[in-house]
Amino acid sequence: MTATRLPLKLYRHALSGHSHRAQLALSLLGLPYELIDVDLKAGEHKKPEYLALHPFGQVPVLVDGDTTVFDSNAILVYLATKYDADRRWLPQGPKSQADVQAWLSVAAGQIAFGPGAARLINVFGAKYNAEDVIARSHALLKVMEAQLGARAFLAGGAATVADIAGYSYISAAPEGNVDLTPYPAVRAWLARIEALPGFVPFTKTAVGLAA
């Protein structure tokens, strides 16, 4: 791992799964970092100084010296490329990279608009159709259950940034009334991630099935 003298700065919101995946990557990589909370209710993310960091006014943002990276999955790729000399978290082989990228796309798509959206209804009062997003969540979880029944992690036998990207909103799915009980392979996968050295938990909210 490449040495870094100054802590990396992560602008985040504690209840944002996108923010958590960036923090989780920093911690699993053993990097020093500083958390800077962005007050979304106060609109800090829409102020000019924050928009200079993230043009879409979202969390998270990573600042590494003179380098600024926005978008949670982009942050994962940046950290794994710059600081993981062994390329454990982002394998170099073309098929391995393709597998990781596929699951990063799932994290930005089916996970965000399934269990991520279902959770937003209860945690932030988002105006999604609960029945639709819960059904979408179970369609995703059925696919993940089949995949994880045959392998330990999403892109193969070892954890990668794909697992980091997928973890937060899947672990918090019960907050959106998405029951994980029918998916033992998914629950075992969550437990494997939680057992990794450097794991940091996602802040929980007592809503939905987690109430």
Side-chain angles (χ1 to χ4, degrees):
M1 184 176 65
T2 302
T4 180
R5 289 179 294 175
L6 297 175
L8 289 83
K9 295 181 180 180
L10 181 66
Y11 292 79
R12 61 94 190 229
H13 188 280
L15 297 181
S16 160
H18 290 76
S19 294
H20 177 258
R21 69 175 60 146
Q23 182 186 359
L24 182 57
L26 286 163
S27 187
L28 291 173
L29 280 162
L31 297 170
Y33 62 91
E34 174 188 357
L35 296 176
I36 301 173
D37 289 308
V38 179
D39 190 339
L40 302 183
K41 285 187 177 181
E44 284 186 358
H45 58 305
K46 299 301 182 183
K47 294 182 178 179
E49 54 269 30
Y50 190 80
L51 291 172
L53 300 175
H54 195 315
F56 295 103
Q58 299 170 341
V59 289
V61 169
L62 178 76
V63 176
D64 181 10
D66 295 330
T67 301
T68 300
V69 184
F70 67 88
D71 181 84
S72 59
N73 286 349
I75 290 171
L76 301 189
V77 171
Y78 173 84
L79 291 173
T81 302
K82 182 171 183 180
Y83 291 108
D84 179 18
D86 297 330
R87 296 305 294 266
R88 168 189 173 184
W89 295 99
L90 187 61
Q92 290 185 303
K95 179 61 166 67
S96 296
Q97 285 208 359
D99 289 344
V100 168
Q101 182 58 58
W103 283 104
L104 292 179
S105 295
V106 171
Q110 291 97 321
I111 291 177
F113 295 102
R119 176 180 172 273
L120 286 177
I121 296 172
N122 290 336
V123 177
F124 291 104
K127 304 301 182 183
Y128 292 111
N129 182 296
E131 184 177 342
D132 286 349
V133 294
I134 290 172
R136 199 178 298 157
S137 300
H138 285 293
L140 163 70
L141 287 164
K142 288 176 182 177
V143 174
M144 292 184 69
E145 179 71 12
Q147 294 288 308
L148 291 166
R151 64 189 68 168
F153 294 98
L154 291 175
T160 67
V161 293
D163 302 284
I164 299 174
Y167 172 83
S168 305
Y169 287 123
I170 298 297
S171 71
E175 296 178 17
N177 289 313
V178 177
D179 187 6
L180 296 178
T181 303
Y183 309 106
V186 171
R187 289 186 283 109
W189 166 73
L190 292 172
R192 283 191 287 273
I193 296 172
E194 291 160 3
L196 293 171
F199 172 81
V200 289
F202 185 22
T203 301
K204 302 301 182 185
T205 306
V207 294
L209 298 178

